[in-house]
């Protein structure tokens, strides 16, 4: 329970920092509701553990983004809608729409709600424009798992396969290969220089090795 309370407190603090005017009870209830979404049974990787990991990266590197609380809110909301059977970027689009609506009900300024929704949408392809440090930090944090050690990376790929258990092996290999190739084709997987220096080579090695196993 302590971990859950801590996460909800982090949500409330980020919402307050981003200008939400709802009372603490309503903010806390929204955080609890979001945790129920992150705990849905179809999730194997996109779980509370992933949310926590993304938030931890953002907190460790908060100095890289001017709108850190907005980035934190986007982390909470970027997989708020998650259906492994959804097509294309439907999850990200639906999550962005959900984010804007939820933040509006919590009294967040319109421009903040719109910005958080924009950030959520970036996680569909993890491609940012020039001069977007907030978007870059969110995307870097979301992809931090790619630079993990062998055991953690293997656990990540196994969890992704469980999320897509409804997809036959051949179709999964083809779809997963497309995802990996798209990431490898990015000019850099990580945008912020210190994160790129620390993670880029390991992430590319992990992706290339996984792609090789997929044939």
């Amino acid at each position: 329970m302590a971990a859950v309370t801590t996460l909800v407190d982090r949500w409330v603090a980020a919402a307050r920092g981003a200008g939400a005017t709802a009372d603490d009870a309503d903010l806390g209830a929204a955080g609890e509701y979001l945790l129920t979404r992150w705990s849905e049974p179809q999730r194997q990787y996109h779980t509370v553990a992933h949310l926590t990991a993304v938030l931890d990266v953002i907190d460790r590197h908060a100095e890289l983004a001017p709108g850190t609380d907005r980035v934190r809110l986007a982390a909470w909301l970027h997989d708020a809608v998650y259906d492994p059977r959804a097509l294309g970027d439907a999850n990200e689009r639906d999550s962005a729409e959900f984010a804007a609506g939820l933040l509006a009900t919590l009294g967040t300024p319109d421009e903040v709600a719109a910005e958080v929704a924009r950030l959520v949408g970036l996680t569909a392809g993890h491609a940012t424009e020039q001069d977007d440090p907030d978007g870059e930090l969110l995307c870097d944090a979301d992809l931090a798992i790619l630079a993990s050690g062998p055991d953690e990376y293997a656990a990540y790929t196994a969890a992704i396969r469980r999320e897509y258990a409804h997809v036959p092996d051949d179709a999964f290999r083809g779809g997963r290969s497309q995802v990996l190739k798209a990431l490898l084709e990015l000019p850099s997987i990580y945008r912020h220089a210190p994160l790129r220096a620390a993670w880029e080579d390991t992430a590319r090695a992990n992706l290339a090795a996984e792609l090789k196993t997929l044939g």
Side-chain angles (χ1 to χ4, degrees):
M1 183 60 69
V4 172
T5 301
T6 299
L7 276 176
V8 172
D9 288 344
R10 291 167 77 175
W11 158 261
V12 171
R16 280 274 180 258
T21 58
D23 61 33
D24 285 347
D26 286 343
L27 290 177
E32 295 282 4
Y33 173 65
L34 285 170
L35 288 179
T36 68
R37 282 182 166 263
W38 282 92
S39 303
E40 292 164 338
Q42 77 275 16
R43 298 169 183 260
Q44 298 295 316
Y45 170 69
H46 295 88
T47 62
V48 173
H50 172 60
L51 167 63
T52 304
V54 173
L55 289 170
D56 287 348
V57 171
I58 294 167
D59 286 352
R60 285 198 301 272
H61 301 284
E63 76 285 353
L64 297 176
T68 315
D69 282 324
R70 299 182 187 195
V71 179
R72 292 184 179 105
L73 294 181
W76 273 90
L77 292 157
H78 80 286
D79 285 322
V81 178
Y82 188 75
D83 178 2
R85 296 175 184 268
L87 299 177
D89 63 353
N91 285 325
E92 290 83 5
R93 287 187 286 105
D94 290 346
S95 292
E97 182 178 354
F98 173 81
L102 177 64
L103 293 175
T105 68
L106 297 175
T108 306
D110 291 346
E111 65 272 16
V112 173
E115 172 62 4
V116 172
R118 183 192 73 83
L119 291 170
V120 168
L122 291 177
T123 62
H126 298 95
T128 58
E129 300 294 334
Q130 293 292 327
D131 194 26
D132 185 9
D134 289 349
E136 290 172 346
L137 181 56
L138 177 65
C139 290
D140 286 356
D142 193 31
L143 297 178
I145 185 65
L146 302 182
S148 58
D151 291 344
E152 188 176 359
Y153 191 85
Y156 151 69
T157 58
I160 292 293
R161 184 64 185 104
R162 291 196 302 274
E163 280 189 345
Y164 288 88
H166 60 282
V167 178
D169 284 343
D170 286 349
F172 177 81
R173 284 196 295 270
R176 180 67 178 170
S177 294
Q178 289 182 349
V179 171
L180 300 180
K181 288 175 182 177
L183 288 167
L184 287 167
E185 288 170 0
L186 292 171
S188 58
I189 296 169
Y190 303 105
R191 289 22 167 249
H192 281 290
L195 302 183
R196 186 164 60 248
W199 297 344
E200 187 79 16
D201 290 347
T202 300
R204 287 189 175 275
N206 282 336
L207 292 172
E210 183 188 354
L211 187 59
K212 187 174 181 180
T213 69
L214 295 172

